[in-house]
Amino acid sequence: GGVECSKERKLTPLSARIEINRIGKMKIARKAAQFISDNDIIFIDSGSTLGEMAPFLSKNKNLTVITNNMLIINKAICFKNLQLISLSGVYDHNTLSFVGDRVSEILKTYNISKAFMGTTGFSLNSGITNSTPLESAVKRTAVKLASKVFLLADHLKIDVFAPYTYCDYEDIDVLITDKDIPAAFKDLFKAKKCQVDVVI
């Protein structure tokens, strides 16, 4: 027999994660923004990759952005083309986001056309995962409400898992990543009818 170390990922503060593979994250965010249409009501999740979406939100007309992501709130607050809805809750300094039961309850009062989601990592057995229970609850609610769900995850999130699964592969409509994914994941996403977009 033998012992193999799992690839579970512990939460690194977002202030440190922002600079990890930033170019890849920016490319992913730019691609994600191409799926946004005029008059959309979108949810933007917490996370460093999602925070990079802010500069690309100025092009659409009558856009409504619902978010608990402080990076988005700070960067997009001056955009006159969008209605920015901030979800109130307990501020988490590690994730630079508002979390808690109150956030999920407020989120349930809105209709969402598209949700742009982040993740600590995704694996074949554990699905789409996150490091904290409060943040996972918000993510779970957003996925249930959205008509279409986009997962934004760079190659460092592939075959990695965290303690909390917030959704399964059949809940995801589009995966946007920055490098080709292993064959086993390609087969899984194809079976779940999930589109995979690899940015260059």
Side-chain angles (χ1 to χ4, degrees), residues 29 50 58 67 89 92 101 128 148 158 176 191:
L50 282 298
S58 62
T67 188
D92 187 328
D101 294 338
I128 318 301
K148 198 164 187 178
I158 300 172
I176 307 174

Side-chain angles (χ1 to χ4, degrees), residues 39-133:
N39 304 307
D40 268 347
I41 302 170
I42 67 172
F43 173 79
I44 298 182
D45 193 16
S46 59
S48 57
T49 305
L50 282 298
E52 298 292 346
M53 287 185 69
F56 308 109
L57 300 176
S58 62
K59 64 182 180 64
N60 295 105
K61 297 178 181 179
N62 302 316
L63 181 64
T64 299
V65 177
I66 305 168
T67 188
N68 62 331
N69 187 329
M70 185 58 78
L71 293 174
I72 293 293
I73 295 168
N74 284 338
K75 294 177 182 178
I77 196 168
C78 62
F79 293 167
K80 294 182 179 180
N81 66 306
L82 61 82
Q83 180 182 32
L84 183 61
I85 300 174
S86 172
L87 299 173
S88 61
V90 178
Y91 184 65
D92 187 328
H93 291 277
N94 282 326
T95 63
L96 304 185
S97 65
F98 294 98
V99 297
D101 294 338
R102 179 175 173 79
V103 177
S104 296
E105 289 305 312
I106 295 173
L107 187 55
K108 289 177 183 177
T109 65
Y110 296 102
N111 297 312
I112 301 172
S113 52
K114 297 165 186 173
F116 295 88
M117 307 302 300
T119 180
T120 305
F122 60 91
S123 66
L124 294 174
N125 295 325
S126 299
I128 318 301
T129 66
N130 186 253
S131 296
T132 68

Side-chain angles (χ1 to χ4, degrees), residues 181 184-196:
I181 61 176
F185 285 95
K186 286 182 180 178
D187 293 341
L188 177 59
F189 280 112
K190 184 177 181 180
K192 300 299 182 180
K193 298 180 180 180
C194 175
Q195 176 183 335
V196 177

